[in-house]
Amino acid sequence: MRYELYYWPSIQGRGEYVRLALEEAGADYVDVARQRGVPVMMRMMEEGATPPFAPPFLKAGKLVIGQTSNILFYLGARHGLAPKSEGGRLWLHQLQLTVTDFVVEVHDSHHPLGPSLYYEDQKAEAKKRTREFWKERVPKYLGYFEDLTAKSGGSWVTGRKLTYVDLSLFQLVDGLRYAFPRHMKAFEPEIPKLCALHHRIAARPKIAAYLASDRRIPFNEDGIFRHYKALDV
């Protein structure tokens, strides 16, 4: 089956977590808005009995699945990126939802008053939010995943088998390194297991090929992970 992924064509954003899973799985997929244009994606959002609220969403046969965590829950079970047991799949889904919570906090570090305002209209609030983000929130979230990985008994966050959550943790580390290079350099000694996991993911053949290809959209100032020098001090 050929999947159709619908997401904005110029940013990694929340769609990148799905792209990484599809690439690691070696799945046949088309990144629709990049290849066919945004109007095609917008029309899809107006069709069917269960239209998605926003990108990303995935078309798999007759199914249209929205929300990043929901898409990964679906793909994980079908491509060996999730445990076979119901309890294991739900645990993994829970972890991915926690990743999603953290991604919201990453975004809010530079847009604490909301996405309708430009960063330039909320610089003072963004500086305050970023200080709290690195003092309290990053240690809380990444410390949680660091502890899980250290106690897993394997190379990955849930043990000896790679899952889609490992790919998502790779994206978190990669994104924070881009957005906050100074903060991350200082903080990485606190998360050696996650940094090692990031390195292992980057070295996996299919992921390495993806990262080196033009399918991987570069980080930029329109995505979730944005580098504002004034915030990385």
Side-chain angles (χ1 to χ4, degrees), residues 15-75:
E16 192 65 15
Y17 301 90
V18 181
R19 293 185 185 112
L20 286 167
L22 290 167
E23 292 286 344
E24 172 62 25
D28 183 16
Y29 77 99
V30 57
D31 208 333
V32 174
R34 295 185 72 188
Q35 298 185 28
R36 302 176 189 167
V38 171
V40 175
M41 179 175 74
M42 302 309 290
R43 285 196 296 272
M44 268 293 295
M45 293 175 63
E46 299 172 357
E47 297 176 355
T50 57
F53 175 71
F57 55 94
L58 185 78
K59 188 173 187 296
K62 295 182 179 180
L63 294 175
V64 177
I65 307 159
Q67 295 286 357
T68 302
S69 297
N70 204 31
I71 298 168
L72 292 173
F73 185 78
Y74 173 84
L75 291 174

Side-chain angles (χ1 to χ4, degrees), residues 63-111:
L63 294 175
V64 177
I65 307 159
Q67 295 286 357
T68 302
S69 297
N70 204 31
I71 298 168
L72 292 173
F73 185 78
Y74 173 84
L75 291 174
R78 284 156 180 78
H79 292 281
L81 294 173
K84 293 183 179 180
S85 70
E86 182 181 36
R89 291 194 304 273
L90 288 172
W91 167 238
L92 203 66
H93 187 54
Q94 179 178 318
L95 295 179
Q96 186 65 42
L97 289 169
T98 305
V99 169
T100 299
D101 289 343
F102 184 55
V103 170
V104 173
E105 299 211 21
V106 173
H107 173 271
D108 289 351
S109 68
H110 51 75
H111 276 69

Side-chain angles (χ1 to χ4, degrees), residues 197-219:
L197 181 151
H198 176 278
H199 180 76
R200 286 193 293 274
I201 292 287
R204 293 180 69 82
K206 291 175 184 176
I207 296 299
Y210 169 62
L211 296 177
S213 75
D214 59 6
R215 296 191 305 282
R216 170 76 162 183
I217 300 169
F219 288 108

